[in-house]
Amino acid sequence: MTAPQDRPLRADAARNRAKLLDTATEVFTTRGVGVPTEEIARAAGVGVGTLFRHFPTKEALLEAVLVRRLDTIAADTARLAAEAEPAEAFFGCFRLIVERSAGKNEFAQALAAAGVDVHSSLRAPSTEIRERLAGLLDRAQGSGAVRPDLALPELLALLVGATATLEQLGPDPAARARVLEVIFAGLRSGR
């Protein structure tokens, strides 16, 4: 017999879940993780009972939002790797990860404070992203677009630092573009 949680969601339930995740992502990203779940439900146009049927706790909602964000980054990274030339894929992926990681630390800290094993829930998408980055780095270095002495651990550290830097800058698009251009200039090969 199939357990209730293993059955596919009805179409309306799937729409409500997606709407809740979209709304929660927007609200938590723009207003912080302290926003009450009741406000999320109201903004999504559903009742709080619907929210709690899908996400029994606020932490479950935060975790789902964070996992979904990383799954989306992983999928977009895979698409870039498949469709773009090595340099374009590498730098596009760097930009994508940095821009979409805003607020991730706040989510992770809130979950850790609530006793949620964040690393366990994020392991699969994080591993996929790391593997894609390794492939993108190899391809970009092989094409001569990225300096050959850069290793994956250094790239990951640069991504974390760039994310923190852009969060510090705020929404100024010109400043954000300049910072990324400085980083990209340092990553490019001297050839």
Side-chain angles (χ1 to χ4, degrees), residues 75-90:
D76 288 346
T77 300
R79 183 187 48 74
L80 269 172
E83 295 175 0
E85 294 299 316
E88 181 185 342
F90 176 82

Side-chain angles (χ1 to χ4, degrees), residues 22 36 77 86 129 174:
D22 289 343
T77 300
I129 292 168

Side-chain angles (χ1 to χ4, degrees), residues 59 108-116:
E59 291 75 22
Q109 289 168 356
L111 289 168
V116 175

Side-chain angles (χ1 to χ4, degrees), residues 63 66 107-113 115-123:
E63 184 176 14
L66 194 51
F107 281 70
Q109 289 168 356
L111 289 168
V116 175
D117 181 4
V118 181
H119 297 292
S120 175
S121 19
L122 302 181
R123 186 171 291 122

Side-chain angles (χ1 to χ4, degrees), residues 3 9 17 29 51 70 84 92 152 177 181 184 188:
L9 291 174
R17 187 178 197 287
T29 301
L51 184 146
L70 285 183
L152 183 61
E181 191 48 47
F184 291 173
R188 288 190 180 92

Side-chain angles (χ1 to χ4, degrees), residues 18-94:
K19 188 187 305 185
L20 283 163
L21 284 171
D22 289 343
T23 302
T25 299
E26 175 66 25
V27 172
F28 288 147
T29 301
T30 58
R31 296 178 45 206
V33 297
V35 176
T37 51
E38 293 78 10
E39 287 187 39
I40 303 290
R42 189 171 30 257
V46 301
V48 74
T50 299
L51 184 146
F52 285 123
R53 264 192 303 284
H54 290 284
F55 309 102
T57 64
K58 183 175 183 177
E59 291 75 22
L61 178 59
L62 281 168
E63 184 176 14
V65 167
L66 194 51
V67 168
R68 185 181 193 217
R69 285 174 72 178
L70 285 183
D71 284 343
T72 301
I73 289 171
D76 288 346
T77 300
R79 183 187 48 74
L80 269 172
E83 295 175 0
E85 294 299 316
E88 181 185 342
F90 176 82
F91 291 110
C93 184
F94 191 105

Side-chain angles (χ1 to χ4, degrees), residues 85-94 133-152 154-155 158 183-191:
E85 294 299 316
E88 181 185 342
F90 176 82
F91 291 110
C93 184
F94 191 105
L133 281 170
L136 287 167
L137 177 60
D138 285 344
R139 284 181 55 214
Q141 287 173 323
S143 75
V146 173
R147 54 188 302 153
D149 59 343
L150 181 69
L152 183 61
E154 297 157 348
L155 174 59
L158 284 168
I183 293 168
F184 291 173
L187 291 170
R188 288 190 180 92
S189 175
R191 288 193 218 175

